Amino acid sequence: MMRRPNQAPPMNGPRFNEWIQSPKVRVIDHEGENLGVMYTREAMAQAQELGLDLVEVSPNADPPVAKFLDVGKFKYEAQKKANLARKSQKTQEIKEIKMRPNIDDHDYDTKMKKVHEFIEEGDKVKVTLRFRGRELSHGQLGMAVLQRVAQDTTEIAKVEAYPRMEGRQMLMVLSPK
């Protein structure tokens, strides 16, 4: 049996050839046909006759499932698949919209357009109402503005964190439905 020169055991990835620890494995050949359960040494000898490696694809099965594959090609394709999955996933961000308690209608409409835009993109929106000076004593005005925001976005968003005071500002978080 030929050994690979100066090759460390696989740390991240599937076990192959002499690093398969199970005495027996269920073998699948390079064409996808099930050859049945056989001794690991016997399966490795058959794989080497074909110029391939015996790669453990399902180590948790009883007995483990091993295939005749080229290890380098197998690892490369697995890495490509993982990169594609990572690239295609969308991370959800938290966008912030700042308002004042005595916001005018046109300004409110402009801010609401951005809120709708962010939610349609799949992001969460944190609506912040900042109070200055005597506005702080009129918290009900801020609560009315945030309730209006929640009411205007009921079709596309749900309130994740209800309005609450944090120092001089009132916060509310909306997330897509």
Side-chain angles (χ1 to χ4, degrees), residues 117-147:
E117 196 177 298
F118 291 148
I119 288 174
E120 285 167 6
E121 287 175 7
D123 296 324
K124 291 183 181 182
V125 178
K126 178 175 155 185
V127 183
T128 305
L129 225 71
R130 175 150 288 167
F131 293 95
R132 288 195 337 212
R134 290 188 183 161
E135 292 173 347
L136 202 54
S137 60
H138 299 286
Q140 73 277 6
L141 293 175
M143 187 60 79
V145 171
L146 289 181
Q147 285 173 346

Side-chain angles (χ1 to χ4, degrees), residues 40-163:
T40 306
R41 294 276 173 216
E42 189 181 316
M44 279 190 332
Q46 285 185 15
Q48 285 186 338
E49 284 175 18
L50 295 168
L52 297 170
D53 301 301
L54 183 67
V55 181
E56 197 174 44
V57 273
S58 181
N60 297 330
D62 188 33
V65 179
K67 258 185 175 177
F68 294 163
L69 297 170
D70 181 18
V71 168
K73 188 175 181 181
F74 181 72
K75 284 184 178 179
Y76 173 73
E77 286 173 358
Q79 187 179 16
K80 268 180 56 174
K81 210 180 286 183
N83 287 344
L84 185 65
R86 188 172 49 242
K87 191 186 294 184
S88 64
Q89 77 180 16
K90 169 86 169 82
T91 57
Q92 194 175 47
E93 295 179 30
I94 297 181
K95 305 285 188 170
E96 186 173 14
I97 297 288
K98 293 183 179 180
M99 297 183 181
R100 297 283 309 281
N102 55 354
I103 189 167
D104 200 33
D105 288 338
H106 186 266
D107 295 337
Y108 175 82
D109 293 339
T110 306
K111 300 275 187 183
M112 287 310 293
K113 279 183 191 171
K114 288 308 272 184
V115 168
H116 282 274
E117 196 177 298
F118 291 148
I119 288 174
E120 285 167 6
E121 287 175 7
D123 296 324
K124 291 183 181 182
V125 178
K126 178 175 155 185
V127 183
T128 305
L129 225 71
R130 175 150 288 167
F131 293 95
R132 288 195 337 212
R134 290 188 183 161
E135 292 173 347
L136 202 54
S137 60
H138 299 286
Q140 73 277 6
L141 293 175
M143 187 60 79
V145 171
L146 289 181
Q147 285 173 346
R148 183 176 166 198
V149 169
Q151 188 177 9
D152 290 349
T153 59
T154 51
E155 296 88 41
I156 61 168
K158 62 179 183 276
V159 179
E160 191 171 286
Y162 287 93

